[in-house]
């Protein structure tokens, strides 16, 4: 792994305190000292889970050779669904875009519902779970393996994925359960069990719901937790001196601090930390996109060439394993991993919005893959392509993105490290909630079930940060994708319900029964004029 | 129906002075009293998924708190003085909501207490009273 050299003087004071706490071990021996005993645990856990993980990941990522490339069937499964829903709902991802923006702006908000969860809040809460390492690390992997052309297919997958989100989030609101205490539970567990029961397939619905919940618990502990903390720790070590970093090989310290912070938020219910994160994350996201755009503008002369490389690379790539199909797979796969369209996770977050029309939340959810993939992922890809960093040997994932940004804005890797840690934290908070809802769906909404899952989640933060568990991460990746199996079966079966909802809603819009309340200026403004 | 005097209320001392002053004026003019409390809320505030799920319950709590801790005691105090005030709670931006409330209820005057914050604070965050004076549809009395 290559990394920019870092002057010692830049170490923040907090960091110095950490070093002191960690003991006076010389930096170069740190890795050896800490690495040796952990290796045994790594190996044992890997050996125990490895065979099961291999079989499971082998099934989920089962690939068929197509024109020299391995095409994972799960990617076909996700893209086919996205394409089907896009056609079935008459290209609502494009035609509904303007209406979605007006809904987010609050134009159709019922004044009596003020103070409730707004469309904007449901959208941003869901986005906090998806905008994360997939946008930074995943895209770099796609471009380094698939060349610039992967960007094209990634954008296309993002555009199609908008309709999968539309479908699942409409159902999430329609079949949510409002508990006696006023809280809301929703998501695939509920629409699979209740929605299919309505259609006379109660047994299948229950099975799919339980299947989904189990996969979601696994996915939340893995991809939504261990993967996140692991990558955040890697980037942290990278910018603080790599192997010479005082925390190198001491992931458990990093993990312990993160686990305490996560625990304070999810168990202690201390909102102030999450308040800070939820405010800083959108800012970071904006800063990231802005920095990307600046870099693109600085290299303005290369913009036409970059777009040329993306278009030609998409259809006739050179030197990419599997050629055209190979590029397509890279783009599609990373888009799916980043925006989670069809996975079902977002439907949990979107279900609590205050609306009488479930379809409105579907419209709003359209914007999620757009922001995540079509904007944020594309910026990452363009920066990597335009700066020509994608050919760099020995760099992939976060470090490739870090290099690409660092080549034009020297200090950006440090900002990126902060962004990655914050993105990871907010993704973990979101996924802890998805996992919890699935856990309590399986074991009942009791206090014991609630606390036991949250404790388990915190333990996994430490594990994910301190161990190099390749097999476990593969396993959890597979579980996130496996969520799409029961979810999409349900979406296909319930698509007519969504179509009916959509038709009713459009009729009400046409008849004027639903009108834009708009941002009528306060009465005073009118009088004053 | 006679005239309606509206008072914007929060928990501050300034607000109590405004309520007393408005009650006195209303008694002289034979006007009815309306107490309006605005809970600061923005549809653009960021929430985490678990906060989203609990928002409805949270809102009910905020409404109940505002009613029992702020509006009920104020109303009881005014009732003891012989007035029969109505109370309203709204969510949103302070001055904007007070303006809409004034227009919707056809209030002919608005009373509001001054918080008396420093010049710097007001410069940075603006004051509800100042904003209300700028945009109100009816005359505003700011009680110091």
């Amino acid at each position: 792994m290559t990394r920019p050299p870092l002057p010692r003087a830049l170490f923040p004071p907090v960091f110095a305190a950490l070093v002191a706490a960690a003991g006076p071990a010389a930096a170069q021996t740190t890795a050896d000292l800490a690495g040796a005993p952990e290796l045994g645990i790594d190996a044992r856990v890997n050996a125990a889970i490895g065979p099961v993980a291999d079989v499971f990941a082998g099934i989920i990522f089962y690939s068929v050779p197509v024109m020299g490339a391995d095409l994972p069937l799960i990617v076909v499964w996700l893209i086919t669904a996205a394409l089907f829903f896009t056609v079935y709902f008459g290209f609502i991802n494009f035609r509904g875009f303007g209406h979605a923006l007006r809904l987010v702006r609050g134009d159709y908000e019922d004044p009596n519902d003020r103070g409730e969860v707004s469309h904007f809040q449901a959208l941003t809460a869901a986005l906090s779970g998806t905008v994360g390492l997939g946008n930074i690390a995943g895209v770099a992997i796609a471009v380094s393996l698939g060349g610039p052309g992967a960007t094209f297919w990634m954008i296309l997958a993002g555009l199609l994925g908008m309709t999968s989100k539309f479908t699942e989030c409409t159902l999430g609101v329609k079949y949510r359960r409002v508990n006696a205490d006023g809280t809301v539970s929703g998501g695939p567990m509920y629409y699979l069990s209740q929605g299919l029961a309505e259609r006379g397939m109660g047994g299948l619905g229950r099975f799919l719901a339980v299947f989904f919940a189990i996969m979601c618990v696994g996915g939340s502990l893995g991809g939504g937790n261990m993967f996140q903390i692991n990558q955040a720790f890697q980037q942290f070590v990278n910018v603080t001196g790599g192997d010479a970093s005082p925390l190198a090989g001491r992931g458990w310290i990093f993990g312990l601090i993160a686990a305490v912070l996560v625990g304070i938020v999810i168990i202690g219910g201390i909102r102030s930390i999450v308040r800070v994160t939820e405010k800083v994350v959108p800012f970071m996201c904006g800063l990231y996109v802005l920095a990307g755009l600046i870099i693109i503008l600085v290299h303005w002369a290369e913009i036409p060439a970059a777009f040329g490389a993306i278009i030609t690379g998409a259809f006739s790539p050179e030197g990419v394993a599997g050629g055209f199909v190979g590029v397509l797979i890279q783009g599609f796969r990373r888009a799916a991993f980043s925006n989670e369209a069809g996975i079902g996770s977002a439907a949990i977050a979107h279900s609590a919005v205050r609306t009488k029309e479930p379809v409105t939340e579907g419209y709003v959810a359209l914007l999620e893959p757009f922001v995540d993939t079509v904007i944020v992922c594309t910026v990452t890809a363009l920066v990597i392509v335009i700066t020509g960093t994608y050919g760099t040997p020995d760099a992939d994932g976060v470090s490739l993105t870090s290099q690409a940004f660092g080549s034009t804005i020297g200090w950006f890797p440090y900002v990126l490290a902060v962004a990655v840690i914050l993105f990871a934290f907010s993704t973990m908070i979101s996924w802890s909630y998805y996992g919890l809802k699935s856990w309590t769906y399986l074991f009942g909404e009791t206090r014991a079930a609630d606390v036991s899952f949250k404790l388990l989640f915190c333990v996994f933060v430490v594990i994910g940060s301190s161990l190099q568990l390749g097999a476990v991460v593969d396993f959890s990746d597979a579980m996130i994708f496996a969520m799409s199996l029961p979810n999409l079966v349900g979406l296909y079966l319930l698509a007519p319900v969504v179509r009916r909802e959509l038709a009713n809603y459009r009729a009400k819009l046409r008849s004027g029964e639903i009108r834009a309340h708009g941002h009528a200026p306060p009465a005073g403004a009118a009088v004053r004029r | 129906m006679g005239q309606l005097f509206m008072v914007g209320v929060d928990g501050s001392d300034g607000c109590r002075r405004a309520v007393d002053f408005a009650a006195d004026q209303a008694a002289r003019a034979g006007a009815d009293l309306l107490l309006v409390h605005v809970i600061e809320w923005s549809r653009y505030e960021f929430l985490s998924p678990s906060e989203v799920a609990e928002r409805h319950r949270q809102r009910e709590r905020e409404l109940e708190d505002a009613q029992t801790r702020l509006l009920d005691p104020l109303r009881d105090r005014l009732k003891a003085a012989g007035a029969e005030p109505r109370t309203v709670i709204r969510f949103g931006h302070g001055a904007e909501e007070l303006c809409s409330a004034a227009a919707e209820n056809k209030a002919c005057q608005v009373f509001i207490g001054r918080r008396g914050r420093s010049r710097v604070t007001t410069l940075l965050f603006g004051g509800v009273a100042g904003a209300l004076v700028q945009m109100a549809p009816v005359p505003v009395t700011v009680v110091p």
Side-chain angles (χ1 to χ4, degrees):
Chain A
M1 292 260 231
T2 47
R3 65 195 172 272
L6 183 98
R8 282 292 209 176
L10 273 181
F11 281 16
V14 168
F15 202 67
L18 280 181
V19 179
Q28 59 266 36
T29 61
T30 309
D32 304 333
L33 284 175
E38 284 175 7
L39 214 67
I41 305 171
D42 285 21
R44 252 178 285 161
V45 175
N46 273 329
I49 299 184
V52 188
D54 284 351
V55 172
F56 185 67
I59 295 170
I60 298 300
F61 293 119
Y62 181 78
S63 304
V64 288
V66 178
M67 293 159 70
D70 283 334
L71 180 61
L73 289 182
I74 195 83
V75 174
V76 179
W77 172 247
L78 285 165
I79 290 295
T80 310
L83 195 60
F84 170 78
F85 294 127
T86 300
V87 174
Y88 187 77
F89 293 114
F91 293 90
I92 189 150
N93 45 349
F94 303 114
R95 290 169 56 197
F97 195 82
H99 189 62
L101 288 178
R102 295 192 67 191
L103 282 165
V104 169
R105 216 171 56 181
D107 285 5
Y108 293 87
E109 187 180 79
D110 184 339
N112 295 323
D113 286 343
R114 311 199 84 210
E116 301 277 6
V117 176
S118 68
H119 283 302
F120 178 85
Q121 288 169 331
L123 175 68
T124 47
L127 266 173
S128 72
T130 57
V131 174
L133 287 160
N135 304 62
I136 299 172
V139 175
I141 294 170
V143 177
S144 53
L145 294 180
T151 314
F152 178 87
W153 299 111
M154 195 182 67
I155 295 173
L156 185 69
L159 291 172
L160 292 175
M162 290 163 76
T163 341
S164 303
K165 287 257 177 172
F166 166 82
T167 317
E168 63 193 12
C169 292
T170 302
L171 290 170
V173 174
K174 182 165 172 65
Y175 293 104
R176 66 183 168 189
R177 197 179 74 196
V178 179
N179 304 311
D181 64 359
T183 57
V184 179
S185 299
M189 304 78 87
Y190 297 92
Y191 61 70
L192 289 171
S193 55
Q194 289 170 32
L196 292 182
E198 275 181 12
R199 314 206 92 208
M201 293 178 278
L204 176 68
R206 268 195 306 282
F207 169 75
L208 291 176
V210 169
F211 184 21
F212 176 87
I214 294 171
M215 294 303 133
C216 186
V217 167
S220 92
L221 294 174
N225 178 344
M226 291 198 293
F227 174 76
Q228 303 292 332
I229 189 75
N230 200 282
Q231 290 292 299
F233 177 61
Q234 298 300 338
Q235 175 68 5
F236 184 75
V237 168
N238 272 345
V239 297
T240 53
D243 291 341
S245 165
L247 275 194
R250 295 185 170 179
W252 62 273
I253 300 178
F254 188 82
L256 213 55
I257 295 169
V260 168
L261 288 174
V262 169
I264 289 174
V265 173
I266 65 175
I267 302 173
I270 307 296
R271 300 284 183 216
S272 48
I273 295 177
V274 90
R275 284 246 166 274
V276 172
T277 329
E278 299 299 313
K279 282 191 171 55
V280 175
V281 163
F283 170 75
M284 277 294 181
C285 189
L287 187 69
Y288 181 80
V289 172
L290 189 71
L293 291 177
I294 289 173
I295 293 173
I296 294 165
L297 284 178
V298 165
H299 294 267
W300 63 273
E302 284 117 86
I303 293 175
F307 275 99
I310 288 171
I311 302 292
T312 45
F315 297 99
S316 52
E318 283 169 24
V320 174
F324 163 69
V325 180
V327 175
L328 186 137
I329 293 167
Q330 285 306 328
F332 278 7
R333 183 169 173 174
R334 290 300 140 191
F337 187 76
S338 173
N339 65 38
E340 295 167 18
I343 303 286
S345 50
I348 304 175
H350 278 280
S351 58
V353 72
R354 184 70 21 182
T355 178
K356 288 172 194 75
E357 296 291 333
V359 166
T360 56
E361 198 52 29
Y363 270 105
V364 169
L366 280 177
L367 300 173
E368 217 188 303
F370 186 83
V371 173
D372 180 277
T373 308
V374 182
I375 297 179
V376 184
C377 283
T378 305
V379 163
T380 308
L382 279 176
V383 168
I384 295 174
V385 172
I386 266 180
T387 55
T389 344
Y390 61 92
T392 319
D394 302 334
D396 59 359
V398 175
S399 65
L400 177 59
T401 312
S402 182
Q403 266 188 41
F405 277 84
S407 70
T408 308
I409 306 178
W411 45 265
F412 202 76
Y414 306 113
V415 178
L416 195 63
V418 177
V420 162
I421 290 170
L422 285 170
F423 284 167
F425 188 75
S426 100
T427 304
M428 282 158 67
I429 299 294
S430 297
W431 272 93
S432 76
Y433 178 71
Y434 302 157
L436 176 68
K437 295 318 278 185
S438 297
W439 182 269
T440 50
Y441 180 80
L442 292 170
F443 300 110
E445 302 227 357
T446 63
R447 182 150 174 79
D450 189 276
V451 173
S452 61
F453 178 79
K454 288 171 173 173
L455 284 173
L456 189 68
F457 194 85
C458 290
V459 170
F460 271 77
V461 175
V462 184
I463 297 176
S465 173
S466 51
L467 303 183
Q468 287 307 320
L469 299 172
V472 176
V473 170
D474 283 353
F475 189 57
S476 65
D477 257 18
M479 280 194 143
I480 286 195
F481 277 95
M483 287 159 69
S484 73
L485 294 175
N487 187 45
L488 288 182
V489 169
L491 294 195
Y492 281 122
L493 293 172
L494 295 170
V497 177
V498 179
R499 185 139 89 171
R500 210 160 44 234
E501 290 280 336
L502 181 61
N504 285 344
Y505 179 70
R506 280 190 174 145
K508 284 183 194 169
L509 275 181
R510 268 196 304 274
S511 72
E513 186 182 336
I514 295 176
R515 276 193 315 275
H517 296 281
H519 284 301
V527 174
R528 207 174 36 168
R529 256 186 235 119
Chain B
M1 212 180 101
Q3 289 183 313
L4 182 72
F5 287 6
M6 187 183 116
V7 196
V9 296
D10 54 10
S12 68
D13 290 339
C15 130
R16 265 182 283 277
R17 286 193 297 274
V19 169
D20 291 343
F21 181 75
D24 186 48
Q25 295 290 311
R28 288 165 203 265
D32 288 330
L33 265 183
L34 172 69
L35 306 181
V36 179
H37 175 60
V38 181
I39 299 175
E40 280 293 331
W41 173 83
S42 164
R43 72 171 68 83
Y44 300 121
E45 197 193 349
F46 295 104
L47 301 176
S48 73
S50 58
E51 286 175 309
V52 163
E54 284 170 16
R55 182 58 212 161
H56 182 69
R57 184 170 64 174
Q58 188 67 30
R59 180 181 185 265
E60 301 287 304
R61 269 194 210 143
E62 286 172 7
L63 283 173
E64 199 188 314
D65 272 7
Q67 190 66 47
T68 55
R69 294 196 187 166
L70 176 66
L71 294 174
D72 286 350
L74 282 174
R75 187 170 55 189
D76 292 346
R77 207 160 67 133
L78 291 173
K79 268 187 181 163
E84 273 294 332
R86 281 193 295 131
T87 61
V88 167
I89 304 172
R90 299 174 72 112
F91 284 87
H93 176 262
E96 274 177 23
E97 288 304 314
L98 288 178
C99 287
S100 325
E104 281 167 29
N105 293 287
K106 298 190 173 61
C108 62
Q109 265 210 67
V110 178
F111 294 81
I112 189 162
R114 197 170 66 193
R115 287 227 190 101
R117 284 183 300 198
S118 77
R119 204 181 267 190
V120 179
T121 329
T122 314
L123 186 71
L124 287 176
F125 302 107
V128 175
L132 187 67
V133 168
Q134 292 293 325
M135 57 202 279
V138 291
V140 177
T141 305
V142 179
V143 182

